[in-house]
Amino acid sequence: MDVRDGRIGRLAWRLPYLAERVGDGAARRVAHVVGRVEGARPGGVQRVALRVSPRLAERNPGLTKISPDWAVDEVEVRRQGVRLRLDLRDNLQAVLYYAGRYEPATARFLAAELRAGDVFLDVGANIGVHTLGAALRMRDLSSGRVIAFEPADDALAKLQQAAERNGLGELIETVQAALGDSTRDAALRADSRYDAADTGVRSLVGDGEIVQEVPVVRLDDWSRAHDLPRLDVIKLDVEGSELAVLRGAAHTMTRLRPRAVLVEDKREDQRRELYAVLDRLGYRPHGQLLDHNRLFRRARSPEPTPTGHSGG
């Protein structure tokens, strides 16, 4: 992907800075118009993300940046078919605001993959961009269930409020917990490279300030306690804890055999082990990356689970 602005790009992204003379609000709205045009093109959403993120901006001096001075902590918009209230201090929400969409390949995949009656599990749901999109699809299909795990108070509140605002509350079950390979309480931390308001990079393995203490549960334990009858599609994006989630979900995946598992795959140090764990569960990578998310599909029966572990 080209990370330099051409002549037309430089002229287009100069417009928000000209509008800044009127005020930050004018600059923000003009930047959204320019960003939405760019976001509709191949690779455009990623280019907008490079313009938004202060950390990525330093590595991409050839792109005009979107000023953090234009950010506000709440702006009401309609994006990807739902009404949302976004905090533009958060990179994820800023990208969604300026580009008009977020992880478009993932959104397209879920819209095409989900079927009537499916149970979709969104692990690390954040403010619910994909949770809400999946619920819209379930509503169109007249049946289905979305389960969203999100431990952070503020992100979960945004998800729940958006679900109610868009008439999707009955289709979405939210669980305020992180998934892992053991039951415990843990510190949800910010990432020191980002602003504290950046909800999308918080994790159990972060190096920043503690945001809050959160409960961690195994999917195997949760699914057994709630008598989960089926599981068809999983999206897993938990900023580095994917391996722990899969280890704590092994019996549930073996028992219910979801047909598609979408896992964030951008950490080279974990990739080999991540693929090995999924391979033991009977899943192989399928197709290209979808916005840093790797699709795995069932390839065979899983290997026998070691004795001494309780089922889900």
Side-chain angles (χ1 to χ4, degrees):
M1 181 181 65
D2 190 1
V3 291
R4 296 170 299 171
D5 278 330
R7 184 174 63 86
I8 294 176
R10 288 195 300 272
L11 289 173
W13 282 104
R14 179 171 169 74
L15 294 175
Y17 283 93
L18 294 174
E20 192 176 31
R21 298 172 184 174
V22 177
D24 291 345
R28 181 171 60 250
R29 290 188 291 273
V30 173
H32 159 60
V33 173
V34 178
R36 191 151 194 162
V37 172
E38 182 169 65
R41 297 171 178 167
V45 173
Q46 180 60 22
R47 286 172 63 88
V48 172
L50 295 176
R51 299 181 193 281
V52 166
S53 169
R55 182 177 69 87
L56 297 177
E58 295 173 0
R59 291 162 35 195
N60 297 277
L63 291 175
T64 302
K65 305 308 178 287
I66 293 173
S67 174
D69 293 338
W70 305 338
V72 289
D73 59 10
E74 184 171 284
V75 58
E76 188 159 350
V77 298
R78 186 175 183 86
R79 297 288 186 272
Q80 299 187 177
V82 293
R83 290 185 296 123
L84 299 164
R85 289 176 181 158
L86 301 178
D87 181 345
L88 303 189
R89 299 171 302 169
D90 173 17
N91 284 333
L92 183 159
Q93 296 177 65
V95 171
L96 182 57
Y97 174 82
Y98 289 113
R101 53 189 186 154
Y102 182 77
E103 292 193 341
T106 300
R108 287 193 298 270
F109 167 78
L110 291 173
E113 179 71 23
L114 293 172
R115 307 168 187 170
D118 273 355
V119 174
F120 169 60
L121 178 64
D122 193 356
V123 185
N126 201 277
I127 67 166
V129 174
H130 295 306
T131 295
L132 295 163
L136 282 177
R137 177 61 175 157
M138 298 302 194
R139 185 169 69 184
D140 290 343
L141 294 169
S142 300
S143 65
R145 179 184 179 191
V146 180
I147 305 170
F149 278 81
E150 172 52 50
D153 287 338
D154 50 0
L156 184 67
K158 276 186 175 290
L159 190 164
Q160 292 170 332
Q161 291 162 8
E164 294 302 321
R165 190 179 303 120
N166 290 277
L168 299 170
E170 293 185 358
L171 293 168
I172 299 172
E173 178 180 355
T174 58
V175 184
Q176 187 167 13
L179 286 181
D181 55 6
S182 63
T183 300
R184 58 195 173 95
D185 290 327
L188 183 68
R189 292 181 176 274
D191 186 321
S192 63
R193 299 171 297 176
Y194 293 86
D195 189 275
D198 203 328
T199 65
V201 295
R202 295 170 181 170
S203 73
L204 302 183
V205 296
D207 62 349
E209 296 181 0
I210 294 176
V211 176
Q212 68 182 89
E213 293 289 328
V214 299
V216 182
V217 300
R218 298 193 318 152
L219 181 62
D220 287 341
D221 297 331
W222 187 91
S223 65
R224 182 178 63 248
H226 292 78
D227 195 24
L228 188 65
R230 65 182 288 178
L231 181 57
D232 301 281
V233 180
I234 299 173
K235 184 187 77 65
L236 175 56
D237 180 355
V238 287
E239 299 299 311
S241 295
E242 287 80 9
L243 281 167
V245 173
L246 290 169
R247 292 185 182 116
H251 287 277
T252 301
M253 293 178 65
T254 299
R255 178 171 65 89
L256 299 178
R257 304 295 287 139
R259 67 177 180 272
V261 181
L262 202 57
V263 185
E264 185 180 59
D265 179 19
K266 62 183 182 183
R267 296 175 183 265
E268 294 184 9
D269 59 327
Q270 295 185 7
R271 182 167 295 144
R272 179 175 299 202
E273 191 172 1
L274 177 70
Y275 281 44
V277 168
L278 282 158
D279 184 71
R280 287 195 292 272
L281 292 171
Y283 289 84
R284 297 285 176 83
H286 180 89
Q288 298 179 335
L289 278 174
L290 304 173
D291 311 304
H292 299 295
N293 300 309
R294 178 71 68 187
L295 173 62
F296 292 81
R297 291 208 182 266
R298 289 181 308 211
R300 55 176 172 73
S301 298
E303 295 178 6
T305 303
T307 59
H309 290 228
S310 59

